[in-house]
Amino acid sequence: MDNRVYVFDTTLRDGEQVPGCQLHTVEKIEIAQELEHLGVDIIEAGFPISSPGDFQSVVEVSKAVSEPIICALTRAVEKDIEVAAEALQYAKRKRIHTGIGSSDIHVFNKLKSTHEEVLERAVRATRYAKKFVEDVEFYCEDAGRANLEYLARMVEAVIAAGATVVNIPDTTGYCLPEQYGAKIKYLIDHVPNIDKAILSVHCHNDLGLATANTVAGLANGARQMEVTINGIGERAGNTSLEESAMILRSHHESLGLETGINVKRIYPVSRMITRLMRMPVQPNKAIVGRNAFAHSSGIHQDGVLKSRENYEIIDPQDVGIPSSSIVLTARSGKAALRHRLEKLGIELPTEELAVVYERFLHMADERREVNDEDLLELMGMESSRRVLEITSLEVTAGTEKPSRAQVQINVNGVQKYNEAQGNGPVDATIRAIDGIMGTHVKLEEYLVQAITGGSNDLARVHIQVSKDDVFYYGFASDTDTVLATGMAYLDALMKV
Ligand code: KIV
Ligand code: ZN
């Protein structure tokens, strides 16, 4: 069996179904071009019948990329298929993705139909799509909960009708990896014409098993995986592209499977999706979360400093992240402290390091995270810690005039004032702070979280900035979101 796994990216279709993540056509084009550089084989660009905007997006994405196959989703409905075919007219390589429910729950409760009638509709839809395109993918919706024999009949019938790919979605994220893998194996072993099509895995994450199920399906013979960047998707999301691609790479020896993904592009694409879909990645998310390569406990830091492989199975640079980070906290050990001091040009004999380490622990308990400024202070190399705090902030915002921020900052005991306009109160505040600090950083991530809910809630702000490809984080919280933003931004700048 061929060991090449085709990567079908559905960020622009299943991913975009997430409330609040809707994209404009220009944004979809930008993402599609990035997906092309990432090396995906198929881009599911949308569901053209669903809205004029989605139709237009499929048209424009079709024009904008040339390598990947462009796919459009339909129901098993003739009108859907006609509209999808029209939307795909400019695609150099095109595919229609049609389908219908396959579980008894869908057949009887959703479609209010019978097994035979649904089979007929499946075949009719496949044949109809074939009139417009050669490449037709059929999805057996809710296959995860479908009866095996009925599912096998459906797969056989749609392949006989011309389907080139058959998708076996675990639509509700219900299966265990063993069950899902066994389902794929059953189809490979029992569908007589299975050699005429590729089986595709499409898993949802309702039980946190989407990636595990995807890998189980591939290990059992599926050769296409349907994934999204950052695992974005309906409810708990879809299988994440970055996790699956890196699993296949990390376990190449045992699985023997390959994709065409250019893994170095993973992190840049992940950032782009976060930005354009306004959907932050959880900090502990595998591969692309901000803590995925951050080490803060003493034992791990010591191990990583001796040899990265001690605690990292992936080199962060392989996925486009500049480096791992060693975060100094009260859980850090002497090895990490020595490492950071040496980076500052300070070398200490072992006995002296032990004394400094005791002082460091007290400082870390008090300040939570210890940065380079703090270390210099600890070594008595600066008369005092750099003082950087907002002493006053006035912001005006509204519909009538551009937002304006007036900010006063205590910089090492000197009060500095600046004011700036921006396209919102946050932008104005950051511009005003930049005018005082003169630090040239790129704002990479800005995340506001309400802690308990309610309009009088505390806002916790997380900011990430970068300078010369190094990331710095700042955190702050306040009931005033704009003030918390200014404080978090200063917290990040203090570490640059
Ligand atoms: O989850 C699902 O079943 C789907 C199909 C429309 C492919 O997204
Ligand atoms: Zn889905």
Side-chain angles (χ1 to χ4, degrees):
M1 181 173 273
D2 193 359
N3 63 357
R4 174 68 154 81
V5 172
Y6 295 99
V7 178
F8 176 113
D9 184 279
T10 184
T11 308
L12 298 180
R13 200 279 298 169
D14 227 349
E16 210 240 4
Q17 287 175 207
V18 176
C21 288
Q22 277 65 46
L23 296 163
H24 296 299
T25 299
V26 280
E27 295 169 324
K28 287 195 177 184
I29 293 171
E30 206 185 322
I31 292 172
Q33 286 170 332
E34 203 48 51
L35 290 173
E36 182 169 26
H37 293 143
L38 179 66
V40 309
D41 300 290
I42 302 110
I43 295 176
E44 188 164 48
F47 182 13
I49 191 98
S50 66
S51 74
D54 223 35
F55 178 91
Q56 202 49 35
S57 294
V58 176
V59 171
E60 297 305 330
V61 167
S62 298
K63 291 180 190 163
V65 301
S66 48
E67 267 305 304
I69 295 171
I70 305 301
C71 180
L73 186 81
T74 78
R75 295 164 296 180
V77 171
E78 291 193 353
K79 184 72 189 160
D80 282 29
I81 294 169
E82 287 160 17
V83 172
E86 197 190 332
L88 287 170
Q89 62 187 300
Y90 299 105
K92 284 149 208 88
R93 303 167 71 202
K94 53 185 99 171
R95 177 182 294 180
I96 289 179
H97 189 190
T98 189
I100 199 164
S102 63
S103 66
D104 285 358
I105 301 178
H106 276 220
V107 170
F108 303 123
N109 295 359
K110 179 182 148 181
L111 301 166
K112 309 272 184 226
S113 184
T114 63
H115 281 148
E116 296 313 314
E117 209 175 271
V118 169
L119 268 189
E120 258 171 51
R121 284 174 65 183
V123 168
R124 227 182 303 132
T126 308
R127 288 208 186 110
Y128 196 62
K130 270 308 242 201
K131 289 189 198 286
F132 301 93
V133 292
E134 185 42 45
D135 190 3
V136 174
E137 173 168 342
F138 187 88
Y139 62 88
C140 308
E141 198 181 8
D142 202 20
R145 293 188 295 173
N147 166 281
L148 271 181
E149 282 109 65
Y150 181 64
L151 185 62
R153 280 179 65 203
M154 187 178 268
V155 173
E156 184 182 350
V158 296
I159 294 176
T164 44
V165 179
V166 186
N167 179 8
I168 309 299
D170 184 20
T171 305
T172 55
Y174 172 73
C175 290
L176 292 172
E178 292 77 7
Q179 295 169 338
Y180 190 69
K183 199 155 245 186
I184 298 293
K185 182 159 173 25
Y186 180 91
L187 295 172
I188 302 250
D189 292 344
H190 292 84
V191 173
N193 54 0
I194 198 73
D195 58 314
K196 308 257 177 338
I198 290 175
L199 279 188
S200 182
V201 288
H202 177 118
C203 299
H204 280 265
N205 206 29
D206 300 64
L207 292 172
L209 290 171
T211 301
N213 285 343
T214 292
V215 174
L218 296 174
N220 281 282
R223 284 296 175 267
Q224 178 178 284
M225 60 178 188
E226 308 200 358
V227 291
T228 61
I229 305 293
N230 297 342
I232 199 163
E234 286 264 2
R235 308 182 308 280
N238 289 53
T239 302
S240 102
L241 181 149
E242 59 277 7
E243 289 171 16
S244 328
M246 290 313 289
I247 289 171
L248 298 193
R249 194 168 183 265
S250 306
H251 289 276
H252 185 258
E253 236 173 72
S254 54
L255 294 169
L257 298 174
E258 267 153 35
T259 68
I261 293 295
N262 170 10
V263 296
K264 273 224 179 312
R265 300 298 308 160
I266 282 182
Y267 191 61
V269 182
S270 161
R271 302 311 309 241
M272 176 190 256
I273 294 299
T274 300
R275 178 169 57 84
L276 294 178
M277 289 192 147
R278 300 164 287 274
M279 183 69 145
V281 168
Q282 74 196 52
N284 56 332
K285 163 87 175 62
I287 319 292
V288 292
R290 72 169 181 269
N291 292 344
F293 297 96
H295 305 275
S296 72
S297 85
I299 297 171
H300 288 206
Q301 291 177 334
D302 181 48
V304 165
L305 290 171
K306 283 181 178 137
S307 168
R308 197 190 52 72
E309 285 89 1
N310 281 332
Y311 285 98
E312 279 180 359
I313 56 164
I314 294 168
D315 184 338
Q317 294 190 0
D318 285 355
V319 291
I321 296 175
S323 66
S324 336
S325 57
I326 299 280
V327 185
L328 287 185
T329 69
R331 306 290 156 263
S332 299
K334 292 195 193 79
L337 178 62
R338 183 194 290 281
H339 168 78
R340 280 282 281 278
L341 285 172
E342 283 176 2
K343 280 195 142 189
L344 292 170
I346 304 167
E347 294 205 16
L348 296 178
T350 309
E351 319 78 66
E352 214 176 307
L353 181 75
V355 176
V356 173
Y357 181 65
E358 288 310 312
R359 298 210 315 267
F360 159 79
L361 286 181
H362 286 293
M363 181 182 259
D365 268 337
E366 207 178 279
R367 297 184 187 173
R368 288 188 286 196
E369 195 182 319
V370 175
N371 59 36
D372 290 351
E373 287 280 335
D374 298 320
L375 285 181
L376 289 172
E377 180 189 336
L378 190 75
M379 298 307 298
M381 294 180 74
E382 274 203 346
S383 50
S384 69
R385 173 179 164 77
R386 181 152 71 132
V387 176
L388 212 49
E389 62 194 6
I390 295 178
T391 43
S392 150
L393 176 65
E394 294 296 325
V395 180
T396 46
T399 51
E400 300 307 312
K401 293 191 208 142
S403 298
R404 180 162 206 86
Q406 299 169 292
V407 66
Q408 187 164 305
I409 301 177
N410 174 357
V411 183
N412 294 327
V414 180
Q415 296 291 338
K416 298 198 173 176
Y417 171 85
N418 190 30
E419 54 184 77
Q421 277 188 7
N423 69 4
V426 164
D427 186 44
T429 302
I430 285 184
R431 283 171 191 263
I433 293 174
D434 277 343
I436 293 175
M437 302 300 300
T439 331
H440 298 290
V441 294
K442 185 165 165 226
L443 184 59
E444 298 279 352
E445 191 173 284
Y446 169 54
L447 176 62
V448 183
Q449 282 169 307
I451 298 190
T452 55
S455 57
N456 61 350
D457 197 359
L458 261 189
R460 178 175 161 81
V461 176
H462 158 252
I463 276 186
Q464 184 185 10
V465 300
S466 71
K467 187 160 197 232
D468 303 329
D469 277 345
V470 181
F471 296 118
Y472 303 89
Y473 299 102
F475 302 94
S477 47
D478 198 275
T479 47
D480 180 330
T481 308
V482 180
L483 179 58
T485 301
M487 289 174 358
Y489 189 57
L490 271 190
D491 186 39
L493 292 189
M494 214 149 23
K495 296 166 189 166
V496 174

